[in-house]
Every structure is written in C-alpha cells, then in structure tokens.
Amino acid sequence: MTTVQRPTLEAVARRAGVSRATVSRVVNGSTTVAEPIQEAVRLAVAELGYVPNLAARSLVTQRTDSVALVLPEEATRVFSDDQVFPSIIRGVAQELEAADKQLVLMLAGSPAGHARVERYTTGRHVDGAIFASLHGADPLPGKLARLGIPVVCSGRPLGDVGVPYVDVDHVGGVTRAVRHLLDSGRRRIATIAGPQDMIAGMERLTGYRETVAEAGLPERVAFGDFTRESGAAAMRRLLDAHPDLDAVFAASDLMAHAAMRTLREAGRRVPEDVAMIGFDDIETAAYTEPPLTTVRQPLLELGREAARQLLRMAAGEEVEVALVLPTELVVRASA
Amino acid sequence: MTTVQRPTLEAVARRAGVSRATVSRVVNGSTTVAEPIQEAVRLAVAELGYVPNLAARSLVTQRTDSVALVLPEEATRVFSDDQVFPSIIRGVAQELEAADKQLVLMLAGSPAGHARVERYTTGRHVDGAIFASLHGADPLPGKLARLGIPVVCSGRPLGDVGVPYVDVDHVGGVTRAVRHLLDSGRRRIATIAGPQDMIAGMERLTGYRETVAEAGLPERVAFGDFTRESGAAAMRRLLDAHPDLDAVFAASDLMAHAAMRTLREAGRRVPEDVAMIGFDDIETAAYTEPPLTTVRQPLLELGREAARQLLRMAAGEEVEVALVLPTELVVRASA
DNA sequence: GGCTCCTTTGAGAGCGCTCTCTCGTATCGG
DNA sequence: CCGATACGAGAGAGCGCTCTCAAAGGAGCC
C-alpha cells in the first residue's frame, strides 16, 4: 500500500509564501485576508491538492461535523420491506448534505448495539444524534440531552424525556380514516393496532378508539407489530372474534396488505364486504389488489425537519420542543 | 450549553498513578502491562468515565475507524420502496459493527453529491469505501484504488476499473427462471429489461437472451429502469408489439409487480394466459396477486461480504478480485 | 509631524493521543 | 557476585490543525 504523503497546511503555507495561520484563514473562509493573498493561497491549495485533515481540525475545534442517525434494528424487519426508515434516512441525508455534515448510521437493535451507540454518542464523537422510532422508554436520548449533546427524536419518545421531537399527526390521520369508513356506512369497524410500546402504535389506536367511541360504536381490536405477518395473524383473530365486521383500519400498510389477502382467503371481498384502510402510504399501497386507501405521512419531510432541528441545536439556537407534521387521507379502492 | 470538561488520558494517568503511555497501553489492550496496574487503570477509567477522543487518536494513527457506504441516490427511487439498498445497508452495518467501525452513509445522486463523496473519500476521512450499484462507468472507485484507498464495489462495476467487487450470479438466476418458463411450455417469452448502464441490468438481459436463443426462440425486449412505473410502461409496449406473448421475465420484482397489474388491466390472466417471473425476491413478492415467482438474491449477504472484503483490505490483506454469490429461483404462483 | 487606532499577518501554544526510545529493575548464567 | 539479557514503565516528541496574542504597517486625526 503506497500511502502517499498528503500535503499539510504547512506545505501550502510554504508554497504560497505565507504562514499557516493565513492559509487556515483562507481555507475557513475568513474575510480578513487581502484578496491577492487569498488568491495565492487558493492556487497553492489547488496545485498541491490539499484537503484539510478533519481529525486535526476536530481535535481543536471540538466539533466533528458529523451527526448520528440511530435506528432500532428490531430483528430483521426494519430494513426488510418497510419504506419508513429509508425515507427518513433520505430526508436526514439531504439536510445534512446541505450543511456539509456527515451522516453516521447506527443500528441499535441488540443490547450490544445500544451500548455501542451510547458509548459513541456520549463520547462526543458526533455533534448530535437523531433517534428514529424509539421503542419503549429509552433513557439514552434524555441522558444525552442532559450531557448537553444535541438530540432530536423522530417520532415522539415515550415518557417525559424532555427531548425535542418531530412527529406526524397520527390521531388526526386515523380520525379522518375512520370517519371515512363511517361516512361510507360502515358500522362494524375493527382495527389492527401497532405495537403499544411505540407512540406511533399507541396514537393510531387512540385515534381509532376516540372516533369509534364518538360514533357510539364498540371497538374491536387486535394487535400486530406493523409487519405483514403480524397483520395476517391479527386479521384472522379479528375474523374469528367478529365475523360480522365490515371495515378494518390497520395501523400500517404492510399489515393492511397482508390483512387484505387474509380476507380474500376467507372469502371476503374488499371493499364490498370489508373495507380496508392502512397507514403510511408506502409505494406498494398503490399496487395492492385492490389499491389501498391509506393515511399518508410525510416521511421525507419528517427526516428533513429532524435534521434541521438538530443542526439548529448544534448551532446553539433554540428549537421548538415539538413539531407535528400533517397527515393526509389518500383514498383508493379499498375503502 | 454546559459542555462538561471530559477526562483525558492525562487525568486517568494521574488518578491511577501511572503515565499516559501506560494508560494508553491498557486502553488499547496491550499485554505488556502488569496485571495490578491494568486493574488500577481500568478502575480509574471507570471512575472518571473516560472515553478516548477519536480525533486525537486518528490524528496520530492515521486511521479513522470509519467506512463510507456510497449509494447512488438516483432521483427519489432508491429509497422509496425498493428493499435492495436497505438490505445491503444492513449487511454492511452488521459487519462493520462487529469490527467496531462506523458507517458513514453517503448518497451520491447529484453531481454535487458525487463531488462531495470524492472530496471526502480522497481526503482520507474514512478507512475505505463501499460503492453500491454504480451506474455507468464511474471513475471514482478506480481513482480511490489508485490512491491506495481500500474500495469494494457491491455489484460489478462497468469498465475495467480493477477494483474488487462482490456480486450475485445474475445470468445463472435468469437462466433458471427462463428455463422454468420453457419447461412449463411457454414459447413466446418476453423480458422487461433493466437499465443498460448497470451490470445488473445488462447481465439479466444477457441471461434472458442466451437462454431464449438456446431454445431457438425469438427475443422480445422492452426496457425499464427497475421501478414499478417503468415496468407498467414496458409491459404496455410489449403487449402492443407482441400481443401473443405467453410469459414475461422482468428484471426486478417492482417491474414484475406493476406488469402483472398491467396485464390484468389488459384482460390477461396471470399465470394462465401470461406467466410472470421477477428478480430480487423482495418481501412484497410473496404478497402480490398472484404471488410472484422470482429469482432471489442474497442481498444481506452481499452487503456483509462487501464489508468483510473491505475490512480485509483495510487490514492490508489480499482479497479476491471477484466474489459471486448464488441466486435461487423461488417458485410461487405467477409462473 | 507625532500619536492613536485599526487592519492584516505571523508566531506559537496547545487540542488528546500514540509510539518510539530510554531507563530502571528483575532474572539468569557464569 | 557481577555482567548480560529481558521486560515493564515513563518521558517526550510529534500528528495537523485552530486560535489567541502580538507585532507590523498604514490611515486618520489633532
């Protein structure tokens, strides 16, 4: 391996006939350097192909110019077919790129992974951390916040951790979905709820419960974990317990997708016998049979906002504690 | 912001009553330190909550303990619904985690993004880079290799760049798929090919062409770009040009999925009138209507192998130039 | 003309760590 | 019992950068 000796500030300074400090000023965009000197320095930089050594820089500035994005890698499923995380990643990446920060991706599934994330973030190897879709009441975001390390959660964290977050309007979206079912005459409306250790799962259930109660109807609930498999199983349980149901709100598109197949296998037609509404609006939703009516959440925007908030915090600015993005009912053929 | 002064090696050394060098030895797992002293140092580390400053370390070691994963963020689609990248990311993440390296994710869609990747990687801010699914003949991997920076491509790169890569057996998988169609009596077999500026697109087409030619049958080709939308459009073109076709091999599951819908809209039944086979085996494939027969590629493993290769290179070991993982035909109802 | 004040540049001190080199002490053979 | 050998621990020199501080030079003012 022929590791070429890379030029340092010193080398550039010698070539340009100025001091290290002046080169540093030019490289970092200080305006207090005379134009001809700036020009000479820039020329030397170009000729030598100088690139600053970030390690040396962060050693003195105490910044790393990188941000951690922490995802819970629950089992295999996070990254299997779900588009939720990819969209968030992309949103975050876009904003960080604009700010010239690096994105350090950390999957924190296992306890070992979680410990690693804790070590890395508390060790201040990043300028801040974005946590996406926390399960349960993870103490890490709060801990980081107390250490003065900028943190933003994508998805409201459970418990009173006092950490700024961005989230979507789950309850509003679900309310609109269930009302849509009511408006089309459905009265025996069930739900396939998500995991109750996540705000997304809890609030989508709340939205269903409130709206159904408001209409004076009984609730019919089965639980899943947002995956297709769990959706199919929950649908079977619902059919057993409430064979007369005429509509289902599923807390994720994947569960809705699998539930529709289960319904078909049970001889029910969608939407004639049973209407189905999902949540997320993944691309697949437009291609299911029948196409799925669902609640769209602006995931890309969610990631972007989270990153923006974090960058603001890292810059020492104040940020709002909560930022809630709107959801939207996308009506297709399934309801 | 109360940025607490974090303990340094010096502080640990004082507390343990030894020199900085000894603490460094213990922290880095040197065996040449007497057991009681090691114990004392570890105690001091724990008491002070010492975490090494990585910037300072990499300044002297010339390593960064981080690896870049570069993805082409073509338009929006990479991360929209496709599970290809998420799986690769996860595979890479798993291996890097095991090696205690950080994953720096870079999306290189725009020219600006590409420049940023070039700057970052050539600036040696990472110990190596993994490129996934290159489009066209990107000169960057070759350039990095020439600079002595470890590079691995996931998916064989176009052109003779002389960079180690891992890929799957596209041709073998497609051959098996087309033979399966032939074996079931299909004779008017078309293909929806992928983009021809990517090896994956090219080889899957090659596999189709060779197998069809071998059987003495004419080829019927329409091109897409792996997305659903392009698959639907290609299917329409095929139906126009060859209304008599009785089977289709689509170079991605997304295209196959959309093509099946297009067929249904055109009044063709799958598989009775037209058989369909896809490529990828994304989770959705098992839930399409009818469930999709497809060629499975081991994406997680692809990512893991790429990372392993890279780590080996970074450690100065020799690696094989090409590593090809097997594909497998998964027979479901669509063919 | 001399003084002050401002602007521009350079000198130099670290940031926290690793690693070589040196020194001190224990071990062993003669 | 002394010198040779080995081995563990410390001293200290940087890694490449930023940033404070001081010096130098020029402009402006009385």
Side-chain angles (χ1 to χ4, degrees), chain B residues 262-274:
Chain B
T262 301
L263 284 170
R264 194 180 314 122
E265 287 168 357
R268 315 293 176 100
R269 294 166 303 164
V270 177
E272 294 83 351
D273 302 326
V274 180

Side-chain angles (χ1 to χ4, degrees), chain A residues 3 17 19 39 67 106 110 118 140 175 195 221 253 262 269 281 298 312 319:
Chain A
T3 306
S19 71
E39 209 43 63
V67 168
M106 310 197 79
S110 60
E118 173 155 2
L140 189 48
T175 300
V221 183
D253 282 353
T262 301
R269 292 166 306 165
D281 195 27
R312 264 186 227 123
V319 300

Side-chain angles (χ1 to χ4, degrees), chain A residues 37-62:
Chain A
I37 293 193
Q38 286 198 36
E39 209 43 63
V41 169
R42 268 192 282 267
L43 181 67
V45 165
E47 286 175 347
L48 267 46
Y50 169 75
V51 182
N53 180 319
L54 296 187
R57 176 180 287 169
S58 43
L59 187 56
V60 35
T61 58
Q62 306 277 36

Side-chain angles (χ1 to χ4, degrees), chain B residues 203-277:
Chain B
E203 298 218 323
R204 291 175 200 174
L205 178 55
T206 301
Y208 162 84
R209 283 194 158 134
E210 289 180 356
T211 316
V212 155
E214 196 178 89
L217 299 173
E219 56 184 51
R220 292 133 189 235
V221 182
F223 292 94
D225 61 5
F226 288 148
T227 64
R228 281 196 171 95
E229 204 172 290
S230 74
M235 190 69 243
R236 269 178 248 119
R237 271 179 271 129
L238 284 176
L239 282 174
D240 279 353
H242 315 284
D244 63 336
L245 55 81
D246 62 5
V248 178
F249 162 71
S252 78
D253 282 353
L254 294 180
M255 294 197 294
H257 190 189
M260 286 202 292
R261 167 192 270 199
T262 301
L263 284 170
R264 194 180 314 122
E265 287 168 357
R268 315 293 176 100
R269 294 166 303 164
V270 177
E272 294 83 351
D273 302 326
V274 180
M276 177 71 66
I277 298 187

